[in-house]
Amino acid sequence: VDGAVPPAWALYVQSKSKATLTLNGAAGAYGSTIVGYSITGGGFSGTASTLTTGFLPDAGTITFTGTVTDSRGRTASSTTNITVVAYSSPQVQSPIIFRCVVGGAASDNGTYLSVKGTFQYASVSAKNTITAVAYYKQSSAGTWTTGPALTSNVAAVTGAGAISTSYSYDVRITLTDAFEAVNYLGAIPTAGRILSILSGGTGMAVGKVAETASAFEVAPA
């Protein structure tokens, strides 16, 4: 049962596929009839001639056993195996995000963003692929700006020189494979300042540019 797995893959995929098993052709002997069925395996069981599992939780070889019982209490069993290919959600590892100048060099007053991460994903027998895209926005904004496509462990510079030193920014890395989209969220502070007073005098910050009225802000570092 493919579920979200593309049928052309012709694979059982961990946590994404189900399986349907059917006992066919069972018949009693010497006048007996089949009165009971049992199918078990992979943590699933049923007492009918057909069993559809839930999503298969484990990778590797799974053995299913089908048993029939006749009206005289005799039993016969048969087994079959399936192979389930491992799958896990994509991950962003070792993300590095900072302000920079156009060439990518780190700068506390940079008006660009450098985004880098190492991306891990399940290949699913070389059937699965992944895309990675960076997004950014001012922390107070509601709409994300689409940045560049990313390559694992390669820094990309984005922001077009429009990353204001007076505002904090949120950065999102989105990894998408055949089954899931996974987000990593990071934050970029304002430019560094020893002391900053918000325009109008209603806010103050140490170590960063003041952004918030009626607040005293301190840079995390």
Side-chain angles (χ1 to χ4, degrees):
V1 181
D2 287 313
V5 181
W9 288 15
L11 296 172
Y12 292 102
V13 179
Q14 182 183 12
S15 77
K16 302 301 178 182
S17 300
K18 300 178 181 180
T20 294
L21 300 106
T22 302
L23 283 163
N24 290 312
Y30 304 108
S32 68
T33 58
I34 301 300
V35 296
Y37 295 88
S38 171
I39 301 175
T40 61
F44 303 96
S45 63
T47 54
S49 60
T50 297
L51 170 69
T52 296
T53 70
F55 289 109
L56 299 164
D58 301 314
T61 300
I62 298 177
T63 299
F64 290 94
T65 301
T67 302
V68 295
T69 303
D70 71 7
S71 55
R72 297 180 181 179
R74 296 174 297 188
T75 62
S77 297
S78 180
T79 62
T80 190
N81 297 324
I82 66 171
T83 299
V84 181
V85 180
Y87 175 79
S88 57
S89 300
Q91 296 182 3
V92 179
Q93 296 189 335
S94 304
I96 302 174
I97 303 170
F98 54 84
R99 284 182 178 272
C100 66
V101 296
V102 64
S107 172
D108 191 46
N109 292 300
T111 55
Y112 294 81
L113 299 174
S114 178
V115 184
K116 178 182 177 181
T118 299
F119 311 138
Q120 291 195 344
Y121 70 101
S123 70
V124 192
S125 297
K127 302 288 188 179
N128 195 23
T129 58
I130 196 171
T131 60
V133 180
Y135 301 85
Y136 62 91
K137 68 178 182 67
Q138 283 189 17
S139 296
S140 59
T143 302
W144 292 90
T145 298
T146 302
L150 302 174
T151 300
S152 183
N153 204 34
V154 176
V157 175
T158 187
I163 305 300
S164 172
T165 57
S166 299
Y167 296 97
S168 300
Y169 285 79
D170 297 328
V171 177
R172 187 181 89 211
I173 299 173
T174 298
L175 302 183
T176 305
D177 69 1
F179 305 106
E180 301 179 40
V182 175
N183 294 318
Y184 167 83
L185 297 176
I188 299 293
T190 69
R193 297 290 185 268
I194 295 175
L195 178 67
S196 175
I197 305 296
L198 187 67
S199 177
T202 60
M204 178 183 290
V206 172
K208 64 184 293 295
V209 176
E211 297 179 89
T212 308
S214 303
F216 176 64
E217 304 170 71
V218 179

